[in-house]
Amino acid sequence: MILVVGAKGMLGRDLMTVLPGEHRGVDLEEIDITSPASVRTLLVTLKPRVVVNVAAYTDVDGCEANRDLAFAVNGDGVGHLARVSADIGAKLIQISTDYVFDGGKGSPYREDDPTGPLSVYGRSKLLGEENARLNPDHLIIRTQWLYGLHGKNFVETMLRLATDRTELSVVDDQIGSPTWTVDLANSIRALIDAECRGTYHAANAGFCSWNEFARAIFDESGMAVTVHPMTTTELNRPAPRPLYSTLDCGKLSRDTGFTPQGWREALRSYLSLRS
Ligand SMILES: NC(=O)c1ccc[n+]([C@@H]2O[C@H](COP(=O)([O-])OP(=O)(O)OC[C@H]3O[C@@H](n4cnc5c(N)ncnc54)[C@H](OP(=O)(O)O)[C@@H]3O)[C@@H](O)[C@H]2O)c1
């Protein structure tokens, strides 16, 4: 049985629809990953063969103000899952982030590039990666810029803002790959089917700035909104972000035969489903 921890989150909901065979989802009512006892009780009772952890404290700016919670959930919580999954002979799959990189490389990040997180969120997720490796049978999947039908995300924010505005300013100096949670869920499935281990990158193909992404959202939705450029410095969010954090996903394609579609095609698929 495949156990999805964090099954009520944005990625978790789509993953539950994509996974093959026997699988079960749990979220905070059934497991608190910050509690070693909670983790042990549930995993020993359910005896999954694979544990996919998509639970996390994902509010990047919130992590700056709530450092202890960030490390407890994103770092220590993964350690509890790693220890118990190893004890029961299960594989641990941990979802991680491009925010473990500093964004200074200037070309797509490969799995073995040096990390250098800038934010509390990034540092806590990097601790999660280190802790996932406590289970020798682990798979770490780094992804980025997620949006999906079942969570707060950039696409929904843009469409909501455009209901009463015809002009917006969006940062144009952060570059990455917007990634639809359904395509990420299919990447996770492909990595499970191919019995991959170690670290992989998975994101929709191609890259853009948040500003270009916003313009694509309005173009594809047939909305006349002018999107002005602004800088990350001008936006002045609490957590620093990597400026260039595109992920090289060649290893995913080579080892599974699965290549996620381009980000713009994925956006079209998403918009067609929500209308
Ligand atoms: N969103 C992105 O852009 C993005 C980018 C890169 C990587 N990721 C990674 O992708 C994964 C999925 O992200 P997502 O956006 O789908 O997250 P999400 O929507 O925030 O879902 C996370 C789920 O985990 C649950 N949770 C929080 N604390 C928990 C705990 N202590 N024990 C058990 N469950 C707990 C949350 O419950 P509550 O809602 O009740 O708190 C929620 O249901 C995460 O690992 C995230 O770090 C996300």
Side-chain angles (χ1 to χ4, degrees):
M1 186 260 287
I2 301 175
L3 180 68
V4 177
V5 178
K8 290 191 172 170
M10 185 168 69
L11 173 59
R13 293 274 298 273
D14 281 335
L15 189 57
M16 290 299 291
T17 67
V18 159
L19 284 178
E22 196 192 344
H23 56 277
R24 164 132 197 237
V26 290
D27 210 289
L28 261 173
E29 330 67 49
E30 286 186 88
I31 185 171
D32 177 355
I33 65 168
T34 66
S35 158
S38 167
V39 169
R40 187 162 291 279
T41 303
L42 192 89
L43 266 58
V44 166
T45 306
L46 295 181
K47 297 184 184 61
R49 124 187 116 74
V50 178
V51 177
V52 189
N53 179 38
V54 295
Y57 179 31
T58 55
D59 177 349
V60 174
D61 291 318
C63 284
E64 295 294 312
N66 299 290
R67 190 183 177 283
D68 290 352
L69 182 61
F71 278 92
V73 179
N74 297 339
D76 300 341
V78 184
H80 305 323
L81 288 167
R83 282 187 201 88
V84 184
S85 57
D87 288 350
I88 63 169
K91 179 193 203 102
L92 176 64
I93 301 179
Q94 168 64 16
I95 308 304
S96 192
T97 169
D98 58 323
Y99 283 16
V100 298
F101 295 117
D102 67 12
K105 184 184 173 194
S107 61
Y109 281 97
R110 295 166 58 103
E111 286 79 356
D112 52 3
D113 277 326
T115 52
L118 303 174
S119 61
V120 171
Y121 173 74
R123 287 199 292 280
S124 68
K125 293 292 289 184
L126 184 60
L127 179 63
E129 292 190 5
E130 287 159 9
N131 282 341
R133 296 191 187 98
L134 296 171
N135 181 342
D137 189 4
H138 66 263
L139 170 61
I140 294 163
I141 305 170
R142 297 192 188 116
T143 190
Q144 64 179 171
W145 292 27
L146 292 184
Y147 62 92
L149 282 178
H150 308 292
K152 282 192 215 159
N153 64 70
F154 182 81
V155 183
E156 295 305 321
T157 302
M158 289 299 114
L159 294 173
R160 180 171 41 76
L161 290 173
T163 55
D164 58 5
R165 292 200 217 168
T166 54
E167 294 191 35
L168 291 171
S169 294
V170 179
V171 291
D172 68 347
D173 58 353
Q174 287 175 42
I175 308 291
S177 307
T179 299
W180 184 26
T181 43
V182 169
D183 287 329
L184 176 58
N186 279 306
S187 305
I188 296 170
R189 178 185 173 160
L191 286 160
I192 293 174
D193 288 347
E195 296 184 2
C196 294
R197 290 188 176 144
T199 305
Y200 282 81
H201 289 172
N204 278 123
F207 56 85
C208 61
S209 68
W210 287 114
N211 187 287
E212 288 173 275
F213 189 36
R215 282 189 276 123
I217 293 163
F218 298 131
D219 284 351
E220 296 292 346
S221 308
M223 298 169 93
V225 180
T226 305
V227 184
H228 299 288
M230 72 184 299
T231 64
T232 300
T233 308
E234 283 167 338
L235 186 61
N236 195 23
R237 300 291 290 271
R241 267 85 169 162
L243 288 185
Y244 183 97
S245 57
T246 302
L247 300 171
D248 180 334
C249 302
K251 188 178 169 195
L252 167 73
S253 304
R254 281 194 300 281
D255 290 0
T256 68
F258 178 79
T259 302
Q261 63 185 324
W263 67 263
R264 186 130 188 168
E265 290 74 41
L267 173 63
R268 265 185 226 122
S269 307
Y270 173 81
L271 291 172
S272 70
L273 279 184
R274 73 182 285 287
S275 55

